[in-house]
DNA sequence: GTGAAAGCGCTAACAG
DNA sequence: CTGTTAGCGCTTTCAC
């Protein structure tokens, strides 16, 4: 029941421990015959290297930590897919953790990863304060996905939320709507940029922007939606800062007997699996999460490996996916 | 930039390394004055214990690994919430990983956790083969959530899927439906029990069971739904093995112009957040995921701590949540 | 190619 | 209460 160690493998193979170590790490400075003996012995004993020991002795762990801000938002699992795929291809393991929508927990998650000795950390939808972030980044390479930072210490991968906010808003304006309200994502990642894009587009068309503060959750969307639906004169269209909240908004509107898109149009953001569900069929701004995940891994490994000096900030273009919740006035 | 070690803390505090170790582990065999000096020195240096070293030296890591079968299914994040809450309360860290719906990856995830030296592993929605599972369980305490096993080596926490399958089916029968088809979850956890519950309920009422094989994904539900909707004479009701697949089925039915619940009724399983969405409003069998997560942690820690001899198999009762997709004939 | 030896940072007895 | 002493299992020079 006690696990075999390298020593055991060396003994049953009749070779030295160092030899076994070389073989386990796939070195080519080992004779074929030795390698086979080692492998055979390892298989026979069911040997597996102890990662804690390996991390302690070497500097690298070939592991990256991925912190997802909210497991309940389909956006994050989709990013995780891209991250996993890219990391695995590069020979890295990934360990995950959730920030449960709270900056403090997010921070803790990153710290545990550091304590564990991961080679780098990926933060998706970071809510953590940017000074904290800078500080953490001095201890481990960090790449942030989905949040805009001007940092020189942290790399970022984003979609252009400003452009995305514009895209959504102009789509609605193009459909002939004028009283368009934005339900924002509060402290959520990308929220302020989307809001700015919305406001800019509104002003460009000499329309008055109106923002209702909410969050990136279904519940928050529901509440905000109720407020709007309860008005004597509801808006003609709503641009919601993400799909999850948009689903809440749709529910609130339906509760109040407002028909979408007949009575008003709704546009979301993220184009998650939720938006594609037949019964929801939400018009939404798409950001390619798979690509963002992959890109983030690339950038992170670059920094881990090469020791790049400056930070890199990738921005990918969003696109609008039209579905059934938006229609001409 | 090089991290401070215990040695550094001891030196700047003017005390021994062992003392620092005791303080870091919260021992009470330390004088208050020493403790304060240590803590002050640690804070000053920004010291954090190296977990790899700690794991190597001690036998326990105070960490458990959580493997989720599919991040895209809202069922799992909800289990994760319960797990995190309970583990944190007990002073344990949790590290997550996804099995990406594949038994082989799931197995790998468990192995990495073992290599890392976690104290125990929680497997949610396990798809991994049961002999593999037994083998893994000989190396680390494992608790499986949402899959029925007769194992003596692995603890399990489940809802009573057989009863749940019956519940759903009898609900539909009670509404007056007779030609009720079941779309199952293939190899998915709990799938075969739900199927048995369905079949048993049908036979009890002298109805002919008919099962369409699918999977626990939206895509699989969509395909199965299309097959049924395309029939000259579609069924009167469908019991789908989980909510995610049920959403796919609903989409397929809508595509074919079939109205739910007017033309036929649909019942799902899991009562995930998906089912509660206003536009979906799916009648579904509820299993309390939070509780299951918490229970699983308890059971796991029991085994980790106490070395319980036999295995424990918890089964909690499911309940039916009626919404808008099921109605009388 | 292969083996010996010195740690990585921490815990865990064991003396004082 | 406090300091000393061994390792935990592995990597990594450095000779042979």
């Amino acid at each position: 029941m006690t696990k075999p160690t390298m020593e055991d493998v060396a003994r049953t193979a009749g070779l030295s421990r160092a030899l076994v170590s070389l073989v386990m790490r796939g070195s080519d400075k080992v004779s074929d015959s030795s390698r086979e003996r080692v492998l055979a012995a390892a298989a026979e004993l069911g040997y597996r290297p102890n990662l804690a020991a390996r991390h302690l002795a070497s500097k690298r762990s070939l592991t990256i930590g991925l912190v997802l801000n909210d497991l309940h938002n389909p956006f994050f699992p989709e990013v995780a897919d891209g991250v996993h795929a890219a990391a695995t291809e590069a020979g890295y393991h990934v360990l995950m953790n959730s920030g449960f929508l709270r900056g403090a927990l997010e921070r803790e998650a990153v710290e545990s990863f550091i304590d564990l000795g991961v080679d780098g950390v990926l933060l998706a939808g970071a809510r953590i304060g940017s000074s904290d972030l800078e500080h953490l980044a001095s201890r481990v390479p960090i790449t942030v996905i989905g949040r805009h930072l001007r940092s020189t210490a942290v790399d970022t991968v984003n979609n252009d939320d400003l452009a995305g906010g514009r895209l959504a808003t102009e789509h609605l304006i193009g459909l002939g709507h004028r009283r368009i309200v934005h339900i924002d994502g509060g402290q959520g990642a990308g929220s302020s940029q989307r809001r700015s894009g919305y406001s800019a587009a509104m002003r460009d068309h000499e329309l008055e922007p109106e923002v209702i503060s909410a969050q990136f959750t279904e519940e928050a969307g529901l509440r905000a939606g109720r407020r709007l639906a309860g008005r004597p004169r509801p808006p003609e269209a709503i641009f919601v800062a993400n799909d999850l909240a948009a689903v809440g908004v749709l529910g609130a509107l339906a509760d109040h007997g407002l028909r979408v898109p007949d009575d008003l149009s709704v546009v979301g953001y993220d184009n998650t699996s939720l938006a594609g569900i037949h019964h929801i069929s939400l018009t939404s701004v798409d950001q390619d999460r798979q690509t963002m995940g992959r890109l983030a891994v690339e950038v992170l490994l670059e920094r881990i490996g090469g020791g790049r000096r400056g930070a890199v900030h990738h921005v990918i273009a969003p696109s609008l996916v039209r579905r059934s919740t938006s229609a001409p006035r």
Side-chain angles (χ1 to χ4, degrees), chain A:
Chain A
M1 175 86 199
T2 175
K3 291 182 198 165
T5 75
M6 218 167 228
E7 185 71 53
D8 299 325
V9 177
R11 199 177 321 113
T12 85
L15 295 165
S16 79
R17 224 173 45 216
L19 230 288
V20 178
S21 175
L22 286 177
V23 172
M24 294 316 294
R25 282 176 289 141
S27 162
D28 55 349
K29 317 190 168 205
V30 180
S31 68
D32 288 350
S33 70
S34 299
R35 179 194 314 294
E36 277 178 32
R37 278 165 66 192
V38 167
L39 258 22
E44 180 190 337
L45 298 175
Y47 169 77
R48 306 208 97 221
N50 175 322
L51 292 188
R54 175 176 282 183
H55 295 182
L56 189 54
S58 67
K59 295 308 142 197
R60 45 209 306 239
S61 61
L62 290 180
T63 299
I64 62 179
L66 171 62
V67 181
L68 303 176
N69 170 65
D70 176 21
L71 250 29
H72 296 276
N73 183 343
F75 176 77
F76 294 102
E78 293 170 20
V79 170
D81 286 346
V83 168
H84 258 272
T88 304
E89 280 166 26
Y92 273 74
H93 281 274
V94 15
L95 254 23
M96 292 193 309
N97 233 290
S98 171
F100 296 94
L101 280 172
R102 291 173 45 194
L105 293 185
E106 220 171 83
R107 193 203 151 83
E108 269 177 39
V110 177
E111 306 231 85
S112 328
F113 277 143
I114 294 177
D115 296 347
L116 249 180
V118 301
D119 293 339
V121 171
L122 245 35
L123 227 52
R127 180 158 299 215
I128 191 173
S130 63
S131 64
D132 277 355
L133 204 47
E134 294 278 336
H135 180 244
L136 290 171
S138 70
R139 305 203 279 144
V140 72
I142 295 185
T143 296
V144 171
I145 303 172
R147 169 142 162 231
H148 302 267
L149 295 163
R150 279 184 255 78
S151 171
T152 55
V154 178
D155 300 313
T156 63
V157 173
N158 281 288
N159 88 115
D160 188 341
D161 288 295
L162 190 75
R166 275 200 110 96
L167 206 56
T169 311
E170 276 165 359
H171 167 63
L172 290 169
I173 294 173
L175 290 172
H177 302 296
R178 304 191 65 78
R179 290 186 300 106
I180 304 168
V181 174
H182 176 50
I183 294 179
D184 86 352
Q187 304 298 311
S191 170
S192 74
Q193 285 77 10
R194 293 174 198 177
R195 195 191 311 127
S196 302
Y198 157 79
S199 297
M202 289 296 275
R203 291 215 193 78
D204 283 356
H205 293 263
E206 294 173 359
L207 296 173
E208 189 65 30
E210 178 187 354
V211 176
I212 305 255
S213 182
Q215 275 196 76
F216 281 158
T217 64
E218 190 184 342
E219 179 59 27
L222 188 66
R223 280 197 302 271
R226 281 197 191 119
R227 283 177 53 190
L228 288 177
R231 291 187 180 172
R233 195 166 169 242
E236 294 164 7
I238 307 175
F239 164 40
V240 193
N242 84 342
D243 286 354
L244 202 57
V247 165
V249 171
L250 289 177
L253 297 179
D255 282 343
H256 282 257
L258 290 169
R259 292 161 309 159
V260 174
D262 302 332
D263 297 327
L264 46 62
S265 289
V266 175
V267 175
Y269 206 112
D270 285 347
N271 188 32
T272 55
S273 55
L274 237 34
I277 289 176
H278 191 287
H279 285 62
I280 296 179
S281 191
L282 177 70
T283 295
S284 187
V285 178
D286 181 65
Q287 41 177 331
D288 186 343
R289 301 162 289 287
Q290 283 266 148
T291 299
M292 289 172 71
R294 302 192 75 100
L295 208 50
V297 170
E298 274 172 38
V299 168
L300 184 64
L301 294 188
E302 238 173 80
R303 188 181 276 264
I304 290 173
R308 169 159 32 71
R309 11 177 140 262
V312 129
H313 299 287
H314 278 286
V315 178
I316 68 171
S319 60
L320 186 79
V321 177
R322 294 159 200 237
R323 294 205 183 79
S324 320
T325 56
S326 60
R329 228 191 123 191

